[in-house]
Amino acid sequence: MRLKDKVALISGASSGIGAAVARLFATEGARVIVTDIRENGGRQIEDIIRKDGGQAVFLKLDVTSEENWNRAVNDTVNQFGRLDILVNNAGMYQRATLDQTGVPDWDQVMELNAKGVFLGCRAVIPVMKRARSGCIVNMSSVSGLTGGSYSTAYNASKGAVRLLTKSIAVQYAAQGIRCNSVHPAPAETDMLVDVFPDQQSRSARIAEIPLGRFATAEEIAQCVLFLASDESSYVTGSELIVDGGLTAR
Ligand SMILES: NC(=O)c1ccc[n+]([C@@H]2O[C@H](COP(=O)([O-])OP(=O)(O)OC[C@H]3O[C@@H](n4cnc5c(N)ncnc54)[C@H](O)[C@@H]3O)[C@@H](O)[C@H]2O)c1
């Protein structure tokens, strides 16, 4: 098992990529803290993992709240005595060009996608420093690497995640903490409804992907697993692109 006895907290784990990561981590022997702002969905994932023979607890966590983060990290450490892995996965998409983006729209996306990751990293660093080991995986996107034709704040927020990740990697490597980002192209989750409102825009994007299809949430989860496991012990500050060849053109 690749994560045997590790304790892993995953944000936004009630659906999509976060749920796939939580389930995969549990099958690899991790004790998983399933967190989400949505309690019902989070408890369902907790149930599924337990029925599959894995270990999971659900904690309600709004990633935009510093108080929520401190409570979640304290509860985890009180219950398990450690916190080895943080996956900052919670996020939202917003389809809007610059002139369609109002200040409240910008603030909403930056608050969740960028500040949420900052708060998560800041909450776990003291615990990981004490342990002199730890691993953070931040969910960015191909939108954090390239400009968007129809998204603005989303790309800015995912670009922020990319460089926040590298700063953390540089600052805490000496304390045994690794930090990497993952950059998926579109993956088949609930979020895609917001990204591609109609079949035409969906088909146009698929046509740009050399592998000719969108990813599954499970395919993204496998890449998160690699970065969270000791197999990537020499990998920090890197960006793992999982895009079917989209940005290779
Ligand atoms: N699906 C894609 O095409 C794609 C591509 C690249 C990157 N991503 C990124 O992957 C991550 C997961 O997205 P997904 O595709 O699984 O979408 P999703 O909508 O299925 O999952 C997002 C999760 O975040 C949770 N969430 C929303 N606001 C929250 C908050 N304030 N606090 C805690 N949780 C909150 C939601 O309840 C949900 O469970 C996001 O960061 C997204 O930007 C997705």
Side-chain angles (χ1 to χ4, degrees):
M1 286 192 174
R2 295 159 74 184
L3 299 179
K4 192 161 166 35
D5 297 330
K6 304 261 191 194
V7 175
L9 189 153
I10 300 147
S11 73
S14 81
S15 66
I17 295 169
V21 169
R23 294 183 66 177
L24 180 62
F25 277 21
T27 65
E28 293 293 340
R31 289 168 282 173
V32 177
I33 322 300
V34 175
T35 74
D36 205 285
I37 198 168
R38 289 189 304 193
E39 190 153 358
N40 286 348
R43 293 219 179 270
Q44 273 172 22
I45 299 302
E46 177 195 54
D47 276 354
I48 290 169
I49 290 174
R50 288 182 179 174
K51 281 186 186 131
D52 290 346
Q55 295 184 65
V57 291
F58 171 76
L59 289 180
K60 188 168 180 178
L61 166 63
D62 175 352
V63 296
T64 66
S65 160
E66 183 179 10
E67 187 273 330
N68 271 213
W69 269 113
N70 291 339
R71 186 158 38 85
V73 171
N74 280 341
D75 287 357
T76 301
V77 174
N78 287 341
Q79 189 166 350
F80 297 104
R82 56 197 290 170
L83 176 46
D84 304 290
I85 300 162
L86 169 66
V87 181
N88 279 307
N89 165 77
M92 65 172 287
Y93 182 77
Q94 186 179 77
R95 190 181 170 97
T97 55
L98 179 71
D99 57 300
Q100 293 166 341
T101 305
V103 172
D105 304 320
W106 172 271
D107 287 347
Q108 184 191 17
V109 173
M110 295 305 280
E111 180 90 356
L112 174 51
N113 292 4
K115 185 176 154 194
V117 176
F118 157 72
L119 290 175
C121 294
R122 215 179 50 160
V124 300
I125 282 289
V127 178
M128 293 181 173
K129 273 168 77 176
R130 275 198 299 279
R132 295 201 67 78
S133 103
C135 183
I136 300 171
V137 182
N138 292 330
M139 193 56 65
S140 181
S141 166
V142 289
S143 304
L145 302 171
T146 59
S149 306
Y150 35 72
S151 54
T152 310
Y154 184 73
N155 294 59
S157 69
K158 292 299 185 182
V161 169
R162 173 176 174 266
L163 282 185
L164 171 66
T165 299
K166 291 185 195 300
S167 295
I168 292 166
V170 169
Q171 290 170 22
Y172 299 103
Q175 278 115 324
I177 300 166
R178 296 189 296 111
C179 186
N180 293 288
S181 55
V182 177
H183 298 258
E188 299 283 4
T189 69
D190 294 349
M191 189 175 282
L192 271 205
V193 181
D194 299 329
V195 183
F196 303 110
D198 51 56
Q199 192 56 44
Q200 197 190 350
S201 58
R202 189 183 152 90
S203 303
R205 192 60 163 159
I206 289 176
E208 293 172 341
I209 299 176
L211 284 183
R213 62 176 176 85
F214 292 150
T216 63
E218 289 72 24
E219 287 174 308
I220 310 300
Q222 289 289 348
C223 298
V224 177
L225 171 62
F226 169 68
L227 291 173
S229 74
D230 293 340
E231 289 154 30
S232 59
S233 52
Y234 198 61
V235 182
T236 195
S238 81
E239 42 198 68
L240 181 46
I241 299 171
V242 194
D243 70 349
L246 178 67
T247 57
R249 286 190 191 278

